[in-house]
């Protein structure tokens, strides 16, 4: 046996053990790492506001506290407003449930020539095994729901604490990172940090502006239709449609449609049509103009980044995918060498099989691009055309 073989085996076993230990630790800490990642992007999002307040002489800790306090007040007010709306609407729907049931039973009897009654339907539902099992499972799942709510509150508190420290001690954190890097790398790290702050803050602020516009537009529609709780529903549509990627629009429009259906079934169709039309207007007109200077990425790239982020990190990846890709694109753009595009008709999408026709069309295009002034050189232009033909 060679002398190096035992040492190599021991080294391989040690590396394998370290890999297994690292993998186990990573899987155990994946929740904490995701919370830190969310907190970091949240700190980047509020960095511009904190930086402006700190530039005016305010301490960064106090500025960060004021920003988080404003966000907390706005979120609590929205939840209270939405909770009161849902509670009142649920009470009204429970009170009017017999009327809805009577109308459905009447429609079934008229359509299918049956003789159902509300009393029979209620008795069959109350005596069904499905309802009994559902009540038992719900009673046993109360503790699970409570544990989930407490766990969610703890995660939210963890995210806010980490984001507060990242924002309040941002300069100290940057100095700590740069202290272990050579000067050339320090410049690149600071540049990447600045780009991340600009892109993340711009993404958040552009989304907030689009949420405001969407809320106002839907509020006007709901007021015209006479749908109750129009302000709360407008806030719901604006926030959910903008800050929940991909499916946020459908989740946002479902609640106003349900409330409008309780007023008039046709109103639900009006709301659905307006949501679809406004979504197209937002995708093709509003969003490109608002995000062209803050998060300048192609819509296909944005959609692909959201899908990839969801596949990798779930909902967290969907939330941070667009600002992360925009930051990476802006950072790598300085290192990609660009050249002048060749003056070839195929760049403009021209693919003509006939070479003569190809040359003639290309000559006409170049002539239109370099057209002479009217009255000066008309004969030469005609001669050029004849030569080209």
């Amino acid at each position: 046996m060679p002398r190096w073989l035992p040492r190599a085996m021991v080294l391989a076993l040690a590396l394998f053990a370290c890999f297994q230990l690292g993998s186990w630790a990573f899987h155990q800490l994946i929740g904490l790492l995701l919370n830190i990642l969310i907190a970091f992007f949240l700190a980047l999002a509020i960095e511009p506001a904190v930086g402006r307040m700190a530039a005016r002489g305010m301490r960064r800790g106090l500025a960060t506290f004021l920003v988080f306090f404003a966000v907390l007040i706005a979120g609590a007010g929205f939840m209270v407003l939405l909770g009161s709306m849902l509670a009142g609407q649920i009470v009204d729907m429970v009170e009017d449930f017999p009327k809805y049931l009577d109308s459905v039973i009447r429609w079934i009897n008229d359509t299918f020539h049956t003789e159902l009654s509300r009393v029979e339907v209620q008795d069959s539902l109350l005596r069904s095994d499905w309802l009994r099992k559902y009540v038992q499972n719900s009673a046993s799942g109360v503790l699970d729901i409570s544990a989930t709510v407490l766990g969610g509150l703890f995660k939210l508190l963890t995210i806010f604490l980490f984001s507060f420290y990242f924002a309040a001690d941002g300069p100290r954190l940057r100095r700590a990172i740069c202290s272990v890097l050579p000067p050339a790398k320090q410049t690149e790290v600071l540049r990447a940090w600045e780009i991340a702050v600009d892109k993340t803050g711009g993404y958040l602020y552009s989304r907030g502006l689009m949420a405001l516009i969407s809320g106002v537009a839907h509020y006007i529609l709901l007021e015209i239709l006479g749908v109750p709780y129009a302000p709360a529903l407008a806030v719901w549509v604006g926030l959910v449609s903008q800050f929940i990627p991909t499916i946020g629009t459908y989740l946002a429009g479902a609640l106003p449609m349900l409330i409008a259906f309780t007023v008039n079934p046709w109103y639900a169709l009006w709301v659905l049509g307006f949501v679809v039309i406004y979504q197209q207007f937002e995708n093709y007109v509003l969003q490109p103009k608002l995000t062209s200077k803050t998060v300048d990425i192609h819509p296909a790239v944005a959609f692909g980044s959201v899908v990839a982020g969801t596949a990798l990190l779930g909902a967290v990846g969907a939330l941070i995918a667009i600002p992360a890709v925009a930051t990476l694109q802006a950072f790598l753009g300085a290192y990609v060498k660009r050249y002048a595009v060749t003056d070839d008709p195929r760049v403009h999408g021209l693919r003509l099989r006939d070479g003569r026709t190809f040359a003639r069309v290309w000559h006409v295009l170049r002539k239109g691009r370099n057209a002479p002034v009217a009255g000066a050189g008309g004969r030469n232009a005609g001669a050029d055309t004849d030569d080209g033909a």
Side-chain angles (χ1 to χ4, degrees):
M1 179 182 299
R3 294 181 178 180
W4 55 266
L5 186 57
R7 296 181 180 179
M9 294 176 62
V10 172
L11 181 60
L13 291 176
L15 291 177
F16 180 75
C18 291
F19 174 77
Q20 291 293 331
L21 180 62
S23 177
W24 172 80
F26 177 78
H27 285 88
Q28 294 295 323
L29 299 176
I30 186 66
L32 178 62
L33 295 177
L34 288 178
N35 292 337
I36 293 176
L37 183 62
I38 297 174
F40 180 71
F41 273 92
L42 182 59
L44 292 179
I46 66 173
E47 176 69 22
V50 175
R52 291 191 187 97
M53 297 172 69
R56 296 180 180 179
M58 185 179 296
R59 297 178 57 183
R60 288 188 65 90
L62 180 59
T64 307
F65 174 77
L66 292 179
V67 173
F68 273 106
F69 184 74
V71 173
L72 182 62
I73 292 298
F78 171 70
M79 293 302 295
V80 170
L81 184 62
L82 184 63
S84 62
M85 178 203 69
L86 291 177
Q89 198 66 30
I90 288 173
V91 171
D92 294 340
M93 291 177 65
V94 170
E95 292 178 352
D96 296 337
F97 181 75
K99 297 180 182 178
Y100 298 142
L101 187 59
D102 289 337
S103 62
V104 172
I105 291 174
R106 190 181 307 111
W107 178 81
I108 293 175
N109 291 333
D110 295 338
T111 305
F112 300 100
H113 305 286
T114 58
E115 295 181 356
L116 297 176
S117 64
R118 178 158 57 89
V119 178
E120 295 177 355
V121 174
Q122 290 178 350
D123 291 340
S124 61
L125 287 176
L126 293 177
R127 296 175 181 176
S128 62
D129 295 335
W130 173 83
L131 182 61
R132 188 180 300 107
K133 292 180 180 179
Y134 179 78
V135 172
Q136 292 176 356
N137 294 331
S138 300
S140 62
V142 171
L143 295 178
D144 296 337
I145 295 175
S146 302
T148 303
V149 171
L150 292 178
L153 292 177
F154 180 75
K155 290 182 179 180
L156 188 62
L157 180 61
T158 303
I159 292 172
F160 270 96
L161 285 177
F162 274 107
S163 59
F164 179 84
Y165 289 135
F166 286 151
D169 292 338
R172 185 184 303 176
L173 180 60
R174 286 190 287 269
R175 287 195 299 269
I177 295 176
C178 291
S179 63
V180 297
L181 298 174
K185 298 296 182 180
Q186 293 179 15
T187 304
E188 299 300 328
V189 169
L190 294 177
R191 179 174 173 272
W193 195 296
E194 184 179 1
I195 292 175
V197 169
D198 293 338
K199 294 300 180 180
T200 306
Y203 172 75
L204 182 63
Y205 297 148
S206 62
R207 286 291 175 179
L209 183 57
M210 286 192 292
L212 177 62
I213 298 174
S214 176
V216 171
H218 288 84
Y219 171 75
I220 295 174
L221 172 69
L222 296 175
E223 280 291 331
I224 293 175
L225 296 178
V227 178
Y229 306 103
L233 291 175
V235 174
W236 165 265
V237 172
L239 293 179
V240 174
S241 63
Q242 300 303 323
F243 291 99
I244 297 182
T246 309
I247 62 173
T249 303
Y250 308 104
L251 293 177
L255 185 59
M257 288 176 56
L258 178 62
I259 305 300
F261 184 82
T262 60
V263 179
N264 190 335
W266 288 104
Y267 289 174
L269 295 178
W270 279 99
V271 173
L272 176 61
F274 183 81
V275 168
V276 173
I277 294 174
Y278 180 82
Q279 186 65 27
Q280 303 306 314
F281 167 76
E282 181 182 282
N283 291 337
Y284 295 102
V285 179
L286 187 61
Q287 183 173 351
K289 292 184 178 180
L290 293 180
T291 60
S292 60
K293 296 182 179 180
T294 56
V295 188
D296 189 13
I297 59 177
H298 195 272
V301 177
F303 179 75
S305 63
V306 170
V307 174
T310 305
L312 292 175
L313 299 176
V316 177
L319 289 174
I320 67 176
I322 294 179
V325 171
T327 301
L328 183 62
Q329 176 180 323
F331 182 74
L332 296 179
Y335 300 97
V336 177
K337 188 176 181 180
R338 297 182 181 274
Y339 300 92
V341 180
T342 180
D343 194 10
D344 194 299
R346 287 170 292 185
V347 175
H348 305 281
L350 295 176
R351 298 185 63 185
L352 303 178
R353 297 181 179 179
D354 188 358
R356 188 174 181 180
T357 307
F358 182 88
R360 184 180 304 164
V361 173
W362 177 236
H363 184 74
V364 171
L365 289 176
R366 296 191 63 181
K367 177 186 174 183
R369 187 178 302 174
N370 301 320
V373 180
R379 182 179 300 176
N380 294 332
D384 292 341
T385 304
D386 295 336
D387 294 340

